[in-house]
Amino acid sequence: MKNKIGYLCTYVPEEIIHAAGFLPVRIAPSTTPPTRADAHLQSYTCCLARSCLDQALAGRLNDLAGVVFAHTCDTMQGLADIWRESFPNLFVETVVGPVALNSPHAQKYLVAELRRFVAALEQHFDVRVTEDALRASIRIYNTRRRALADFYARRAEFSAVQWFNVMNKALTTPPEAISDRRSATSNQQSAIENQKSKIGVVLVGATIDEPTLPQILDDLGARIVADDFCNGARYFDTLVAEEGDPIEAIAARELTRATCPCKHRALDDRAERLLKLVKDNRADGVIFYHKKFCDPHAWDYPPLAAALDREKIPHLLLEVEQVAPVGQTRVRVEAFLEMLSEG
Amino acid sequence: MSERRYKKLKTAPQLKKLLEQHYLAAKYFHLGKPIAWVTSGAPVEIVRALDIFPVYPENYGALCGARGASAAMCQVAEARVYSPDLCAYARSSVGMMSDAKHAPLGGLPRPDLLITCGNICGTVLKWYEAAARHYHAPLFILDTPFIHADDGEPTAHAIAYVAAQLEELIAFLEKQTRRKLSKEKLLATAMLSSEAVSLWCDVREFCRARPSPLNAPDLFLNMAPIVTLRGTKECAQFYRALKEEIAERVARQVSALPEEKYRLVWDNIAIWHHLYRFYNHFVDYGACFVTDTYTGGWAMRMNDQGDPIHAFARTYTQVFLNQSLRVRVRDMADLITRFDVDGFVMHSNRSCKPYSVGQYDIRRIVTEQTGKPGLVIEADHSDPRSYDDETIRARIQTFMEGLR
Ligand code: SF4
Ligand code: SF4
């Protein structure tokens, strides 16, 4: 029996999938231009949706027993249904979490929705998701999140590419493989002090899926001091409580972790968090690393940029289709870093 | 600008007056009523029952499109670093916020309150957040979980969640207006709303007649009061007059087109900026859009049985843009059979992702199920800058020749 279940967005409750006996793995866009997805997704949808579907249509995800979506943006919502039509025998489910995270009723609703998801898994695969198994999974994933946070606290010792590799490996390997900082960085060559790195930047975006930008930052001697990616710090910044009802605890984490722009908790919480990231980490500037056609992040850019402007924090917007064009990105990042070092 | 090439409605002046009055009242004569900006899918009956004046930025977006003002308004937003890939209704609205002077009708009145309901898309959340920042107006988010179920039924917990938020919305509005909601008034408003909606449903059903008494642009234009005025007496009155006129057309076998040779279904929002020009390309072939998936989107009916809050929760969660691809396939196939059409045309609308993502699959499945061909046209509902009339005409020609 296939034992992996894929997901695209970190709002998918991996502890539940794990407790059902599956290994949740993140499906990430590849660097190959999509071809098969064009028959299903318009040219004005983001590369994340198009590349992930393309890989599935090419048969490269055939080892998955299912794919689980989380309700986020309009493209993802449509993609979930397209996926279901394309693979009628596959377990395809969407956890429709709340958008209004600040609603006093959001927790109760999400708990019920998570229980529905548990029941769907149990029914489809004829398994039982016990409370004990959930608790054990929560502990395992918390351990991994703590290890990543610990690694993160010392990321000054690593290059941007190493940071990228650690984060991207984490979400596709068994959670037990990363239990402390050492195991998080096990596949990295010696963690040499990154001597040249003087300028610190904060990266903001949906996801980061290929190392062009980190490589450029390394080449130019800049450091990533913090990030706001779905597959970056937002993934491990909050733990699930290990006491009490496990489903309630999982729901509570979803409502309190750093907000994705598809969700609403307060009008300016993303701006406040970004300013705090810049200050706490003494960053020199911010790079928005956005995907073309990604509405939620495009919507948040003007207010975030305005908040940074008010604080006189320099920022740069890079909008990328699938793979950042090396030459052009390098020129723009270089000019930005020069400006920062003069500033 | 092209002219329409099919029959005008006698009720057209009435419609024009109704909408003009609405915008005038919104701007000048709301008589001290607080102004709420609301989304097309928001439960406006609650708003009206509390004597709050609702204004519809989406309808304003369509108006900007129809008046050829969208591109300029969008450019204002783009200069303020809003991406040109965002929904053009929202973009022109953001443009209007910062440059009302140059906007049609001098812009929308400033909101005292903002109510956004996620049952149509994710854009309206972000759009209303932008408005809340701009106007410093309080924002209420009504979160209506998307329904992925094949049968289109919301889960019990989703209904309970929406119902709880509706209670909260009422409390929020009561606090803002320092008024108490009267349940009688709410029910009366809901009944007026239902009446208009069911009259509108009847009008749409009349188009099953051969020849069809209406073509799609008639449907688009006449839908406006359902969106912006449902729950008012004037609205119900207008639809009574419209229904009478259409009933008469059907009785006398009056056709919307000079000659109806083909019958088609339309999918997605209208192409406002080329409303006549675009649909005239079909009139050239004697093709009439007898129905569509869009203007029926407000075809929800309330009833006076049971708890009204519960009925609102269900009705507003089940709107068609909050439904899965399978429900959309089912609805399209149903229109194809009931309206006895020859094919369907889908507007792949780069502004509106929730409506458009999935259309390619819907087309394939619907054609498999019904045997009717479908054409997809890439355009935008209000931003004309990506509209290419030549390419579009060529595609229409190929499709229509295939139907012969
Ligand atoms: S949030 Fe953005 S990147 Fe993620 S699926 Fe939606 S559009 Fe694509
Ligand atoms: S994205 Fe679509 S549903 Fe949403 S406001 Fe724009 S046109 Fe309307």
Side-chain angles (χ1 to χ4, degrees), chain A residues 253-301:
Chain A
R253 171 181 175 267
E254 292 219 351
L255 298 182
T256 47
R257 60 184 286 218
T259 327
C260 152
C262 302
K263 311 270 174 189
H264 177 99
R265 184 158 52 225
L267 213 44
D268 293 311
D269 61 337
R270 286 200 73 222
E272 281 156 19
R273 177 161 183 274
L274 180 55
L275 292 179
K276 191 165 164 2
L277 285 179
V278 170
K279 280 180 195 146
D280 291 355
N281 297 287
R282 304 220 185 104
D284 299 290
V286 173
I287 298 180
F288 292 94
Y289 187 69
H290 284 182
K291 295 186 198 305
K292 177 109 175 115
F293 305 115
C294 169
D295 289 359
H297 281 276
W299 269 110
D300 271 4
Y301 172 66

Side-chain angles (χ1 to χ4, degrees), chain B residues 215-228:
Chain B
N215 188 15
D218 296 313
L219 294 169
F220 300 147
L221 295 172
N222 283 286
M223 170 194 89
I226 282 291
V227 180
T228 58

Side-chain angles (χ1 to χ4, degrees), chain B residues 352-371:
Chain B
C352 187
K353 293 188 176 80
Y355 212 153
S356 305
V357 175
Q359 274 177 323
Y360 295 174
D361 285 78
I362 296 175
R363 172 173 69 164
R364 177 179 51 78
I365 302 166
V366 166
T367 300
E368 275 164 19
Q369 285 182 3
T370 64

Side-chain angles (χ1 to χ4, degrees), chain A residues 39-40 42 44 74-75 77 81 84-85 98-100 105 109 112-113 261 264 267-268 292 295 299-300 302, chain B residues 85-86 90 122 126 129 133 141 143 145-146 148 150 157 161 168 324-326 348-350 353-354 356 360-361:
Chain A
H40 303 269
Q42 283 94 336
Y44 49 80
D74 296 333
T75 298
Q77 170 182 299
D81 281 343
R84 196 158 62 131
E85 293 310 321
V99 173
H105 314 288
Y109 164 72
E113 177 63 6
H264 177 99
L267 213 44
D268 293 311
K292 177 109 175 115
D295 289 359
W299 269 110
D300 271 4
Chain B
D85 298 323
L86 298 172
K126 307 310 289 179
E129 284 177 349
R133 285 190 198 98
I141 299 163
D143 182 8
F146 188 83
H148 281 284
D150 291 353
H157 52 280
Y161 177 44
E168 218 191 307
S324 72
L325 193 150
R326 290 202 183 161
S348 162
N349 178 356
R350 59 182 292 129
K353 293 188 176 80
S356 305
Y360 295 174
D361 285 78

Side-chain angles (χ1 to χ4, degrees), chain B residues 122-184:
Chain B
T123 290
V124 290
L125 170 69
K126 307 310 289 179
W127 177 358
Y128 278 59
E129 284 177 349
R133 285 190 198 98
H134 184 88
Y135 295 110
H136 302 287
L139 168 66
F140 191 92
I141 299 163
L142 183 63
D143 182 8
T144 44
F146 188 83
I147 305 170
H148 281 284
D150 291 353
D151 59 2
E153 279 299 314
T155 55
H157 52 280
I159 294 293
Y161 177 44
V162 178
Q165 292 174 79
L166 285 171
E167 299 286 3
E168 218 191 307
L169 171 65
I170 293 171
F172 166 80
L173 296 178
E174 286 181 337
K175 191 167 153 240
Q176 296 293 331
T177 56
R178 295 199 198 84
R179 270 194 286 259
K180 258 330 265 163
L181 175 73
S182 127
K183 287 268 151 115
E184 290 78 64

Side-chain angles (χ1 to χ4, degrees), chain A residues 74, chain B residues 58 87 89 120-121 123-124 127 269 321 349 351-354 381:
Chain A
D74 296 333
Chain B
E58 286 158 68
C87 167
Y89 278 177
I120 52 170
C121 65
T123 290
V124 290
W127 177 358
I269 301 176
L321 277 177
N349 178 356
S351 262
C352 187
K353 293 188 176 80
H381 62 352

Side-chain angles (χ1 to χ4, degrees), chain B residues 223-239:
Chain B
M223 170 194 89
I226 282 291
V227 180
T228 58
L229 290 162
R230 69 175 184 282
T232 66
K233 286 200 190 73
E234 299 76 27
C235 178
Q237 221 163 31
F238 169 73
Y239 285 105

Side-chain angles (χ1 to χ4, degrees), chain A residues 130-192:
Chain A
T130 63
E131 283 213 3
D132 285 345
L134 279 168
R135 283 211 184 84
S137 298
I138 287 171
R139 276 194 299 273
I140 290 171
Y141 279 91
N142 275 350
T143 304
R144 176 162 89 173
R145 289 187 190 112
R146 274 190 215 101
L148 288 170
D150 187 25
F151 155 70
Y152 215 73
R154 308 205 184 193
R155 68 199 166 281
E157 297 164 22
F158 299 89
S159 70
V161 169
Q162 285 173 320
W163 164 85
F164 170 84
N165 289 339
V166 170
M167 291 311 303
N168 272 273
K169 192 190 84 174
L171 300 185
T172 48
T173 45
E176 298 85 348
I178 298 178
S179 53
D180 55 24
R181 179 167 48 84
R182 203 173 302 279
S183 49
T185 54
S186 66
N187 73 334
Q188 301 300 312
Q189 291 136 13
S190 63
I192 20 125

